[in-house]
Amino acid sequence: MTSTHRTVEGGRIDRTTTLGFTFDGEALTGHPGDTLASALLAAGRHSIATSVKLGRPRGVAGAWAEDPCGLVQIEEPFPEPMLLATTVELYDGLAASGLPGQGRLADVPDSARYDAVHHHVDVLVVGAGPAGLAAALTAARAGARVALVDEQSEAGGSLLSGTDQLDGVPATAWVEAAVQELAGSPEVLHLQRTTAFGSYDDGFVLALERRTDHLGAAAPEHLSRQRVWRLRARSVVVATGAHERPVVFADNDRPGIMLAGAARTFLHRYGVLPGREAVVFTTNDSAYDAALDLSRAGVRVQAVVDARPDGAPHRRAECDDAGIPVLPGSVVTGTRGVERVTHALVAPLAGGEVGASSAVGCDLLLVSGGWNPAVHLYSQARGRLRYDEELGAFLPGDDVDGLAAAGAAAGVTDLAGCLADGQRVGRAALASLQLEPAADDRLPSAPEFRTPAAPMVLWRVPDTSGAEGTTQFVDLQRDATVADIARAVGAGLRSIEHVKRYTTIGTAHDQGKTSGVLTSGITAELLGVPVRATGTTTFRPPYTPVSFAALAGRDRGRLFDPERVTAVHGWHVAQGAVFEDVGQWVRPRYYPQPGEDMNAAVLRECAAVRTSVGILDGSTLGKIDVQGPDAAVLLDRIYTNLMSSLKVGSVRYGVLCGVDGMVIDDGTVLRLAEDRFLALTTTGGAAKVLDWMEEWVQTEWPDLRVHCTSVTEQWVTFPVVGPRSRDVIGAVFPGVDVANEAFPFMTWRDTTLDGVPVRLARISFSGELAYEVHLNAWYAMAVWTRLIEAGRRYGITPYGTETMHVLRAEKGYPIIGQDTDGTVTPHDLGMAWAVSKKKPDFIGKRSFARPANTDPRRKQLVGLLPTDGSTVLPEGSQVVELHPDGVLPPPPVPMLGHVTSSYRSAELGRPFALALVRAGRSRIGETLHVPLDGSLVPVEVTASVLVDPEGARRDG
Amino acid sequence: MQLIACPWCGPREEVEFSYGGQAHVPHPAAPADLNDEEWAHYVFFRANPKGRFAERWNHSAGCRRWFNAVRDTATYRFEAVYRLDDPRPVTP
């Protein structure tokens, strides 16, 4: 199809280059500088898609983000749903289709990159129209650090859509000079295609820059497609312009019905005639410019229908000269046409009564009900709006701290006024920064302002169509009508927020840019209250839709969260380990041999440890170096045990509780010197325990001379575990006397291996003879390899976290956070032995004496053995007790507790579990039941230590 | 996102900070001397005012220092920040 509706000349498109694209499968052409919407209109195509609920044809009704209709899906080069045809810049090879209000997500991964940049400025100006440019120039000329962001492809704002002159030449020449001047200012960041979509506290503004969307398949791969700018400004100038507001009448949604200002934009910016025969319906003077400009461009303007009784007297002569009939005191009551408007129904309006209508033929119906300042960013920053009775619009009220609106966004309606307002607000920002305006900070001279005739506030035309408001569309994207608002009000809703949610008005893609204020006005009218009493709904970010991909930026996939691996991770990978995430750590879970599943591998690993020797990469254990003359005092207060009595060279297990007496972590503590300890924590608790120590040292005991430092990353830890571990350690470290008497349980020894310092500690998390090998992570691989080599003759078996868990559970050692949940005391875990009775106080001690903590009915950690010898109870299963007659108590069945850990045991030859059970220790020997898949599994309650309760194995 | 003025580092983004609850609630010197109710008040009870509230904050992703602040819980505005050993400042 040819560009039947392209003007002969003019517009900001590059006519020397032709771009090919398809829409709904039809091949079309356009030019660089076009949007998808302007290219479609140039081809005479208005109808874009059908509406979401009613399936009515809808077209292009605006020229930018305020368009409530023209939703499209991009198919090529990358599928993207729910874009406005008016904001999609045309590129060669674009393939798009119209959307009935619902998009379709891509089913292929998005290969594009998205990123984010932080930027700090003195003054952020949002909007590069006349007010924004004036503000940015004023700030830049004074030497302030400035960011200027604008959502369109080029600067100029409303100046791109008109024929204004500044300094006697086209205003676009001034725009070009201003952009050049800003580009020459080293402290200015100027971004086009960048939408400020959210404003937050303390001058924080988020903006989305579309960097390569407009290039289509030609987008360079090394550039991020979109970028989120995280802007922090001392002063924010909101120069976001205004959105034109329609007037509601029957069948006001047909393709070919468009905002008057949008038609002017299509004409002047894109060189497009949006129709051949136009009717212009207005309540204010601004639409006369559209009527006259279109007429000059060859559009036959059938009539200007002006709702005001006297119309615009001073525009009358211009209309007469152009041969445009003006019908003052008249309204459009309805339309005809299906795929495109064919007639406007025009009727006189007097005293609120509509007279008989006559049909005026047209293929374009332009509407203007006034202008709504784009107050979104002001309102998001908690600025309070005030209703202006004359304009029928909500304007910014008082300035918010560090944020002010300027120009049309502040309700200024003329060019000279917008320039002056921009400069004024720019200077106010400078004043707050204690900067002086530059001497050469001059504004261009604008044409003299002609005071317009007062606008009329008209939200909707009385419905004479007989449809009772059901075709008077307020929110075209939601297919919501005046009848829907009437139903909401009839249902008793009074708050505009409730009306919004009841009718869904303002909840679609455009977030009510055209419908929001209309809804306030119509609701107020129906309720018989002033509009200022109704107010508006709350403006929330984002101003325009932002993709999740852009918000996620680089934080996706592997970069979503850091992955921590140990110094011997590569070895685990080479061994075919299966990994699991433990916090940010990636740890081997088990090392399957060919044909093994997890159960088989874990049973093999467990048996190897209990009968010969195994090795674990325990490097993820938290390690805190506690140093200072008062280190022992601090640990005595932090741990429930007495740590100050620990001898240098020895190790003690300790428990940490909160002030409520509940266990928060546990681990062993090595005394390295009189004034130095190494506290080992759980893998997941490392940061928390360091924070905990720091909090107490800083906030309660600043007098203590002690420092706590994380050394988790610096040290690796390799437990060598099992009856043959002594042989392995003895072979690798010949300088160490590994005999039990010389190197007893819960002691540590320093040694060296080829000059590398190594610390060995007799600590066991399995009940077996075991040595932890600690050393500088730098030498980890070499030492690990030697341990493996030395253990080969004993069949040394690397084991993972799953086997570690089984082995510790067989011994009744709890995992804090798995067997505990923040309501469990050391006594509940059967660890009263770890609670010092000698110390006068430690964190949580006083809570142990609270009645709730001494209640014998508390849940206590016990073992459970399913009596069938085969069921593996799911962790989290509930534990219940049957009546003596074997019947389940009536619902609600009392829950005695739950299974916290459950595994198969190679040693026991059967599955077992740990559970927190009410008064559990007094129930040892009893049979309880665990509901599972509709039946009750009988379980025998046992002590929590199921393997080697005498502790005979730990010394080998 | 708010800026919070760390007394050691100056204004930084709020994501660098973590909250520590009500300020000026010292750990009792001799918990054993308290009855259950008094101890429970220390462990469990905190004020929850609408308006100015003296709170503990930690610049956890920055200098890792704890400090106190007076914040208006209705507006989120920080009215004062001060070091732990300073008395609560008088705010206008």
Side-chain angles (χ1 to χ4, degrees):
Chain A
M1 187 185 283
T2 53
S3 299
T4 54
H5 287 64
R6 193 70 80 173
T7 58
V8 178
E9 56 177 10
R12 303 185 64 77
I13 50 169
D14 172 13
R15 293 175 192 251
T16 61
T17 305
T18 299
L19 305 174
F21 71 102
T22 65
F23 188 76
D24 286 344
E26 185 182 2
L28 297 163
T29 62
H31 299 294
D34 262 325
T35 62
L36 176 56
S38 69
L40 289 171
L41 292 177
R45 175 151 185 170
H46 266 255
S47 194
I48 297 278
T50 50
S51 69
V52 63
K53 280 193 285 193
L54 304 175
R56 290 169 68 104
R58 294 281 164 80
V60 175
W64 189 250
E66 74 282 3
D67 180 18
C69 289
L71 286 172
V72 297
Q73 167 109 16
I74 303 289
E75 311 286 0
E76 297 287 342
F78 179 78
E80 193 172 359
M82 295 292 280
L83 295 173
L84 281 171
T86 52
T87 62
V88 173
E89 288 183 53
L90 196 68
Y91 48 82
D92 204 46
L94 171 70
S97 53
L99 269 188
Q102 281 180 330
R104 193 177 69 254
L105 285 175
D107 52 11
V108 292
D110 185 353
S111 59
R113 284 164 59 128
Y114 300 82
D115 61 12
V117 172
H118 291 258
H119 192 70
H120 293 73
V121 293
D122 295 320
V123 182
L124 166 64
V125 180
V126 182
L133 284 172
L137 286 170
T138 292
R141 285 167 179 166
R145 194 159 197 238
V146 177
L148 171 65
V149 303
D150 183 273
E151 59 182 341
Q152 308 236 6
S153 58
E154 56 177 324
S158 61
L159 300 177
L160 301 173
S161 302
T163 53
D164 294 299
Q165 300 235 321
L166 288 172
D167 284 342
V169 295
T172 48
W174 175 76
V175 172
E176 276 162 38
V179 168
Q180 266 187 2
E181 184 181 339
L182 292 171
S185 309
E187 290 295 326
V188 174
L189 171 75
H190 176 194
L191 299 169
Q192 289 297 141
R193 298 190 174 97
T194 303
T195 307
F197 63 83
S199 73
Y200 306 84
D201 300 287
D202 295 326
F204 188 59
V205 173
L206 290 177
L208 180 77
E209 181 187 11
R210 295 172 299 281
R211 305 180 76 206
T212 67
D213 292 72
H214 61 291
L215 300 175
E221 269 185 33
H222 70 279
L223 287 184
S224 61
R225 182 171 178 228
Q226 297 179 351
R227 169 173 287 172
V228 172
W229 286 85
R230 304 165 63 86
L231 302 163
R232 178 77 71 172
R234 293 182 196 278
S235 278
V236 180
V237 178
V238 177
T240 46
H243 295 141
E244 196 163 22
R245 183 175 64 232
V247 180
V248 177
F249 47 84
D251 299 311
N252 59 333
D253 63 328
R254 300 194 197 286
I257 302 177
M258 184 183 285
L259 292 166
R264 221 170 157 237
T265 299
F266 284 118
L267 172 64
H268 293 304
R269 185 165 174 187
Y270 301 109
V272 169
L273 297 175
R276 304 263 185 237
E277 291 191 327
V279 169
V280 179
F281 174 30
T282 187
T283 63
N284 65 88
D285 282 12
S286 71
Y288 283 79
D289 293 329
L292 290 161
D293 288 358
L294 287 173
S295 171
R296 266 178 227 122
V299 175
R300 182 165 168 201
V301 179
Q302 301 280 51
V304 171
V305 181
D306 194 325
R308 295 171 293 184
D310 300 322
H314 62 284
R315 305 301 297 261
R316 195 65 188 252
E318 289 172 89
C319 291
D320 289 346
D321 288 350
I324 300 173
V326 177
L327 305 173
S330 299
V331 291
V332 171
T333 61
T335 64
R336 289 186 197 146
V338 177
E339 289 294 323
R340 176 94 182 240
V341 64
T342 59
H343 294 83
L345 305 180
V346 178
L349 174 75
E353 295 293 318
V354 177
S357 68
S358 54
V360 181
C362 61
D363 64 356
L364 180 67
L365 172 53
L366 302 184
V367 185
S368 178
W371 294 82
N372 294 325
V375 294
H376 302 67
L377 297 179
Y378 168 84
S379 181
Q380 287 169 15
R382 287 189 271 180
R384 291 200 174 274
L385 302 174
R386 66 177 175 83
Y387 180 68
D388 186 292
E389 297 280 353
E390 186 180 324
L391 294 176
F394 288 90
L395 306 185
D398 299 332
D399 282 357
V400 183
D401 265 356
L403 182 143
V412 180
T413 55
D414 68 298
L415 176 54
C418 283
L419 289 165
D421 201 44
Q423 186 184 61
R424 177 189 66 79
V425 174
R427 288 184 174 186
L430 291 178
S432 70
L433 298 163
Q434 284 154 354
L435 288 173
E436 290 292 327
D440 61 344
D441 181 32
R442 74 168 281 275
L443 291 174
S445 62
E448 198 186 334
F449 178 50
R450 289 188 300 180
T451 308
M456 175 177 174
V457 177
L458 179 67
W459 310 114
R460 56 158 184 154
V461 174
D463 194 352
T464 53
S465 71
E468 298 183 343
T470 56
T471 64
Q472 290 191 321
F473 290 90
V474 179
D475 186 336
L476 277 70
Q477 276 192 25
R478 284 288 187 230
D479 270 341
T481 63
V482 170
D484 292 320
I485 300 178
R487 196 173 301 121
V489 170
L493 305 180
R494 294 294 177 269
S495 157
I496 195 70
E497 298 284 2
H498 293 159
V499 171
K500 169 181 175 173
R501 282 150 185 81
Y502 191 88
T503 59
T504 72
I505 289 173
T507 61
H509 181 275
D510 68 343
Q511 290 285 294
K513 287 185 180 64
T514 50
S515 59
V517 176
L518 280 179
T519 307
S520 294
I522 294 169
T523 302
E525 214 169 86
L526 292 172
L527 288 171
V529 299
V531 179
R532 69 183 136 72
T534 310
T536 63
T537 54
T538 306
F539 290 85
R540 292 193 180 86
Y543 167 70
T544 49
V546 179
S547 72
F548 280 109
L551 292 176
R554 302 278 285 155
D555 301 329
R556 57 197 276 193
R558 288 199 63 205
L559 297 180
F560 177 68
D561 199 31
E563 263 183 10
R564 300 172 79 183
V565 296
T566 72
V568 290
H569 184 72
W571 189 90
H572 305 318
V573 173
Q575 294 296 308
V578 174
F579 292 91
E580 73 167 337
D581 291 338
V582 182
Q584 291 174 333
W585 287 105
V586 180
R587 299 192 68 181
R589 192 174 187 192
Y590 57 98
Y591 299 80
Q593 291 189 346
E596 276 186 335
D597 62 4
M598 184 173 90
N599 284 334
V602 170
L603 287 174
R604 174 181 51 78
E605 291 173 11
C606 287
V609 172
R610 293 246 185 257
T611 58
S612 183
V613 63
I615 184 167
L616 173 76
D617 181 3
S619 304
T620 64
L621 277 179
K623 305 171 200 82
I624 302 170
D625 192 343
V626 183
Q627 292 191 49
D630 292 321
V633 179
L634 173 68
L635 297 186
D636 269 355
R637 294 180 188 177
I638 293 278
Y639 284 86
T640 60
N641 328 47
L642 196 59
M643 290 298 178
S644 54
S645 63
L646 188 61
K647 291 185 173 53
V648 174
S650 286
V651 182
R652 187 163 288 163
Y653 171 79
V655 177
L656 299 84
C657 290
V659 290
D660 57 0
M662 302 303 158
V663 177
I664 54 176
D665 206 68
D666 70 344
T668 50
V669 175
L670 286 64
R671 189 162 202 170
L672 306 179
E674 275 306 311
D675 59 354
R676 187 170 185 187
F677 295 79
L678 181 69
L680 302 180
T681 75
T682 61
T683 294
K688 187 174 65 180
V689 172
L690 181 66
D691 286 347
W692 183 244
M693 291 180 177
E694 277 290 341
E695 178 181 344
W696 285 90
V697 169
Q698 288 187 36
T699 65
E700 289 289 342
W701 309 316
D703 53 310
L704 291 187
R705 295 160 300 163
V706 61
H707 291 278
C708 308
T709 307
S710 167
V711 292
T712 302
E713 299 276 356
Q714 285 73 18
W715 290 85
V716 292
T717 307
F718 303 144
V720 179
V721 185
R724 308 311 296 259
S725 60
R726 180 169 286 136
D727 300 305
V728 176
I729 295 297
V732 175
F733 304 103
V736 178
D737 184 349
V738 292
N740 193 50
E741 302 70 35
F743 189 174
F745 185 58
M746 292 305 253
T747 61
W748 59 267
R749 299 288 181 264
D750 276 351
T751 184
T752 58
L753 184 61
D754 291 349
V756 174
V758 174
R759 179 169 297 137
L760 303 173
R762 283 227 17 222
I763 296 168
S764 179
F765 197 39
S766 59
E768 299 297 329
L769 174 69
Y771 296 81
E772 282 184 1
V773 181
H774 295 246
L775 72 146
N776 185 325
W778 194 252
Y779 306 101
M781 197 61 233
V783 174
W784 175 271
T785 307
R786 291 203 194 187
L787 291 165
I788 297 287
E789 289 302 323
R792 205 173 289 286
R793 56 187 296 204
Y794 309 107
I796 192 167
T797 300
Y799 67 95
T801 52
E802 196 65 24
T803 291
M804 177 189 80
H805 281 163
V806 177
L807 297 173
R808 64 87 203 173
E810 289 173 342
K811 286 289 292 179
Y813 298 152
I815 297 276
I816 306 307
Q818 174 171 339
D819 299 295
T820 70
D821 60 2
T823 67
V824 179
T825 67
H827 311 83
D828 298 336
L829 295 172
M831 298 204 290
W833 54 269
V835 177
S836 167
K837 294 186 177 57
K838 293 182 193 155
K839 289 193 285 186
D841 194 28
F842 54 83
I843 296 171
K845 179 179 169 76
R846 174 64 184 80
S847 286
F848 295 146
R850 294 180 64 239
N853 286 346
T854 55
D855 187 335
R857 292 166 301 168
R858 286 184 67 79
K859 289 180 184 172
Q860 295 162 336
L861 189 71
V862 292
L864 298 181
L865 290 173
T867 54
D868 63 8
S870 62
T871 301
V872 181
L873 302 170
E875 289 170 358
S877 298
Q878 296 291 330
V879 180
V880 301
E881 183 177 30
L882 303 187
H883 282 318
D885 56 4
V887 176
L888 200 62
V893 180
M895 300 296 170
L896 297 186
H898 67 280
V899 174
T900 58
S901 294
S902 177
Y903 311 98
R904 289 185 174 83
S905 169
E907 181 75 11
L908 300 171
R910 63 190 292 181
F912 72 104
L914 296 176
L916 286 168
V917 175
R918 199 165 285 288
R921 285 199 287 275
S922 70
R923 295 177 182 273
I924 289 171
E926 288 181 15
T927 298
L928 298 174
H929 286 78
V930 172
L932 180 61
D933 295 335
S935 64
L936 293 166
V937 178
V939 294
E940 182 194 345
V941 181
T942 70
S944 59
V945 185
L946 288 159
V947 169
D948 186 25
E950 307 80 21
R953 296 180 173 192
R954 66 168 209 217
D955 294 331
Chain B
M1 190 187 320
Q2 266 188 291
L3 295 176
I4 297 175
C6 169
W8 307 89
C9 306
R12 299 293 181 94
E13 299 206 337
E14 65 179 275
V15 290
E16 295 184 14
F17 296 82
S18 51
Y19 184 64
Q22 184 176 1
H24 309 297
V25 184
H27 188 262
D33 297 345
L34 303 182
N35 65 31
D36 283 342
E37 187 179 335
E38 289 164 340
W39 177 248
H41 269 274
Y42 166 70
V43 175
F44 300 114
F45 285 63
R46 294 293 182 272
N48 183 25
K50 178 180 179 181
R52 293 195 179 105
F53 191 34
E55 302 169 329
R56 304 189 317 158
W57 284 83
N58 184 10
H59 193 188
S60 47
C63 68
R64 298 187 54 78
R65 300 297 297 174
W66 283 84
F67 60 94
N68 288 339
V70 175
R71 187 180 64 105
D72 189 313
T73 60
T75 64
Y76 293 171
R77 188 181 298 278
F78 280 73
E79 309 213 336
V81 293
Y82 54 105
R83 297 185 186 184
L84 295 169
D85 45 1
D86 292 335
R88 174 175 173 163
V90 179
T91 43

